[in-house]
Amino acid sequence: MANAERLNRVAEADSTFRRDGTLWVGKCLICNGPIAFDARNGEGATLEHIRARGRGGDSGPENLGIVHGRCNAEKGRRWDPKRRRDDGEYEAFVNRLLDRRRQRWRDPDGAPRR
Ligand SMILES: [Zn+2]
């Protein structure tokens, strides 16, 4: 699936996001700050695997969040295996993000069609 299409799917399933013309406007899953991306090409946001695939995370919408490129990069640096902190800390961080994702959950089938 193309990156823009996957971003659209996740935005549909995240209640902080709404459509504004060609943009999706919502909140970054990591920093909670405002974020917007172009629905046609995905420009302006990156897709984040909350639990990294290398740590058993899948690519289901519950494990995907829309984040700033800088937040994604920061998370990557912080949890780089070469500089890994203890696993308990990683688990707590991932669980906080998964909780936030669940709190924002919106059933895509129940969302208004455009
Ligand atoms: Zn962010």
Side-chain angles (χ1 to χ4, degrees):
M1 198 185 298
N3 187 50
E5 195 183 334
R6 298 210 305 176
L7 280 164
N8 277 286
R9 294 270 180 89
V10 176
E12 285 169 4
D14 183 326
S15 63
T16 71
F17 280 82
R18 61 180 174 79
R19 278 299 290 266
D20 182 2
T22 61
L23 296 177
W24 276 104
V25 181
K27 288 183 174 179
C28 171
L29 189 70
I30 292 180
C31 74
N32 230 13
I35 188 169
F37 68 92
D38 193 314
R40 296 166 299 184
N41 56 25
E43 217 167 274
T46 66
L47 203 59
E48 156 77 6
H49 281 77
I50 300 171
R51 184 179 298 283
R53 277 165 293 188
R55 288 175 179 256
D58 63 22
S59 293
E62 298 87 354
N63 192 47
L64 293 173
I66 295 164
V67 301
H68 295 115
R70 63 175 182 273
C71 290
N72 205 349
E74 170 61 27
K75 181 172 181 266
R77 272 194 300 278
R78 183 172 174 193
W79 300 107
D80 184 324
K82 293 191 287 291
R83 306 167 58 179
R84 185 187 296 181
R85 305 187 184 188
D86 73 87
D87 275 352
E89 218 180 323
Y90 177 81
E91 284 301 316
F93 175 66
V94 164
N95 285 330
R96 275 200 304 279
L97 291 182
L98 288 170
D99 275 351
R100 185 178 289 170
R101 180 73 183 96
R102 274 191 292 273
Q103 284 160 13
R104 293 178 174 196
W105 185 262
R106 167 171 64 195
D107 187 349
D109 296 332
R113 293 284 165 219
R114 296 189 184 257

